[in-house]
Amino acid sequence: MSEAKVALVTGASRGIGKACALKLGEAGYKVAVNYNSNEAAAMEVVDAIKAMGSDAIAVKANVSDQKEVKGMMREVVNAFGQIDVLVNNAGIVKDEYVLMMKSETIDQCLDLNIKGYMYCAQAAALKFFSKKNGCIINVSSVSSVLAVAGQTVYSATKGAVNSMTATMAKELAPYGIRVNAVAPGFIATDMVDQLPEDKKEEYLKEIPLQRFGKPEEIGSVVCMLASDACSYMTGQVIVLDGGLSL
Ligand code: NAP
């Protein structure tokens, strides 16, 4: 039997990242569960993956800090000997109308949602490069293609994720590295929980499937993108939004 592949999922202590880590664990990957602050939650994900019979570790790193990203990559390779899949997921949303936008908000979103993705992608690609094989999946958002009032900064960062996905895919394809993205709509995680009830109701009315998505519905597609089922797919953004953007 061939050796299990290794996946690193950023922001995997909660929400979509957690669901991706669990789906990859279920599919037999060894999983590095990155978190920023919530070690206990990350350890629960690690324990759940081990209970499925796969291996997992928790890795603390603020992925908007390049030094910490390099340290995280070293830790993953030291623990598992290699890395095969990166899921760039850790992100934040800070809704602010354009007239009230603050520079700290702009910096925080750009630092994590753009620079963080680039730091992790570069660190992973440097590992994939020599073995001419690897896969990066970026978690974007439907806000990259659909205007949502209050999301000027967030949507700009997710638009950047879509463009970096295409550019990285083109650059890295000759080295056997595939880069794709998923663009979720409203998914039932802490990020959506924090919205005011009236906003949630307003958004629900716009979703043709009439419900928010489940994190595991994103995890399954991420897992499929990492698999050989998608071996000829690169540079694509898959929208998973219950029809919201139609
Ligand atoms: P979430 O529930 O708020 O979870 C965020 C995760 O990111 C946590 O694991 C958190 O770790 C981690 N994180 C935060 N800052 C970090 C940092 N600086 N370094 C490393 N990890 C960090 O978020 P989510 O809803 O699952 O969203 C995940 C991704 O999906 C984001 O990129 C988001 O933009 C995208 N997305 C979400 C939705 C949605 O409706 N939920 C829709 C479209 C796109 P700690 O717990 O340790 O702080």
Side-chain angles (χ1 to χ4, degrees):
M1 204 171 83
S2 62
E3 212 194 320
K5 287 190 169 182
V6 177
L8 164 63
V9 184
T10 68
S13 54
R14 290 185 277 129
I16 292 172
K18 174 180 178 177
C20 293
L22 293 174
K23 286 282 178 192
L24 288 161
E26 202 179 301
Y29 287 80
K30 295 178 185 174
V31 187
V33 174
N34 161 251
Y35 67 99
N36 184 38
S37 57
N38 198 338
E39 185 180 8
M43 283 314 298
E44 274 179 33
V45 180
V46 166
D47 291 343
I49 293 169
K50 286 184 173 171
M52 293 169 191
S54 289
D55 203 357
I57 52 164
V59 197
K60 178 173 167 53
N62 169 3
V63 297
S64 59
D65 181 321
Q66 192 173 24
K67 244 167 95 184
E68 293 196 26
V69 168
K70 287 181 179 170
M72 169 174 74
M73 201 54 72
R74 269 196 303 274
E75 220 176 310
V76 175
V77 174
N78 284 345
F80 293 135
Q82 64 188 68
I83 173 165
D84 303 283
V85 173
L86 165 71
V87 182
N88 249 336
N89 165 78
I92 40 167
V93 67
K94 299 254 174 193
D95 285 3
E96 268 173 10
Y97 290 107
V98 68
L99 295 176
M100 298 171 218
M101 237 158 38
K102 294 192 269 312
S103 72
E104 307 94 91
T105 312
I106 301 174
D107 286 344
Q108 281 172 358
C109 289
L110 267 57
D111 284 352
L112 184 57
N113 299 3
I114 300 183
K115 288 188 192 173
Y117 277 43
M118 289 180 178
Y119 296 149
C120 292
Q122 184 187 43
L126 284 166
K127 299 288 173 200
F128 298 157
F129 174 77
S130 49
K131 60 188 177 95
K132 288 206 174 298
N133 187 271
C135 174
I136 298 172
I137 298 142
N138 293 323
V139 179
S140 178
S141 166
V142 74
S143 299
S144 63
V145 290
L146 184 77
V148 178
Q151 295 202 331
T152 293
V153 182
Y154 182 71
S155 66
T157 65
K158 294 302 185 177
V161 169
N162 294 2
S163 0
M164 77 171 85
T165 298
T167 308
M168 285 178 188
K170 200 163 187 177
E171 265 187 42
L172 297 173
Y175 308 105
I177 303 167
R178 295 186 299 110
V179 188
N180 290 293
V182 290
F186 290 98
I187 309 301
T189 69
D190 293 348
M191 195 177 265
V192 164
D193 265 4
Q194 73 194 7
L195 293 170
E197 282 309 313
D198 56 329
K199 273 277 169 207
K200 282 195 223 173
E201 274 166 37
E202 191 187 307
Y203 291 143
L204 263 177
K205 284 191 200 130
E206 302 294 322
I207 303 172
L209 283 180
Q210 301 182 333
R211 63 174 177 85
F212 293 138
K214 301 177 198 150
E216 52 273 27
E217 291 175 307
I218 309 304
S220 318
V221 176
V222 164
C223 205
M224 184 186 76
L225 286 172
S227 76
D228 285 345
C230 294
S231 51
Y232 201 53
M233 185 189 291
T234 198
Q236 303 306 305
V237 181
I238 314 288
V239 178
L240 301 165
D241 66 351
L244 176 66
S245 57
L246 296 175

